Amino acid sequence: MRDHVRLQIEGTVAKMHITNSERKNAISASMWIDIVNNCEKLFSLNKIRVVTIKGEGGNFSSGADVCDSRPENIIALHNIVEKAVMAIEKITIPVVAVLEGYVLGGRLELALACDLRIASDDCRLVIPAAKRGIGITQNNS
């Protein structure tokens, strides 16, 4: 199965499913683009009252897909992640992150962009870079 973020509509509920189960839902650049595209679709659906974002297979997301982590891709990846986070934040109805299993690294940013977060008992929120003293800075210029 190709990794992607699938949008499913059930009545007044829109469900975004992160699907990359072979890598515990690590999010690739193409998946971030899928998130942006799904958010854009939601703006045209007037009947939707709530959006949920959930990883399939028991993990929200194990972090970045390492195939996208080459140095020449870092700036482009950062820009698409920022665009996806902003798209989620612009949704005017409640967005709920359903957190299970791993929520690692910058994928925690995806959960924080949502209005509500519901975590299972087995949820593990981890920022591995923090153990190495690596901080994330944002250029607001």
Side-chain angles (χ1 to χ4, degrees), residues 47-77:
K47 67 178 182 173
I48 302 302
R49 297 292 175 245
V50 68
V51 178
T52 63
I53 302 177
K54 180 180 180 179
E56 291 192 351
N59 289 295
F60 185 75
S61 177
S62 63
D65 191 326
V66 292
C67 296
D68 290 335
S69 298
R70 295 183 301 260
E72 62 272 15
N73 292 344
I74 296 298
I75 292 173
L77 182 59

Side-chain angles (χ1 to χ4, degrees), residues 90-106:
K90 287 180 183 176
I91 296 173
T92 58
I93 56 175
V95 180
V96 181
V98 181
L99 307 176
E100 299 176 294
Y102 294 114
V103 185
L104 297 181

Side-chain angles (χ1 to χ4, degrees), residues 8-9 28 46 53 80 82 91 95 116 126 132:
Q8 178 182 1
I9 307 298
S28 66
N46 296 330
I53 302 177
I80 192 61
E82 189 172 299
I91 296 173
V95 180
L116 299 167
V126 181
R132 295 183 181 92

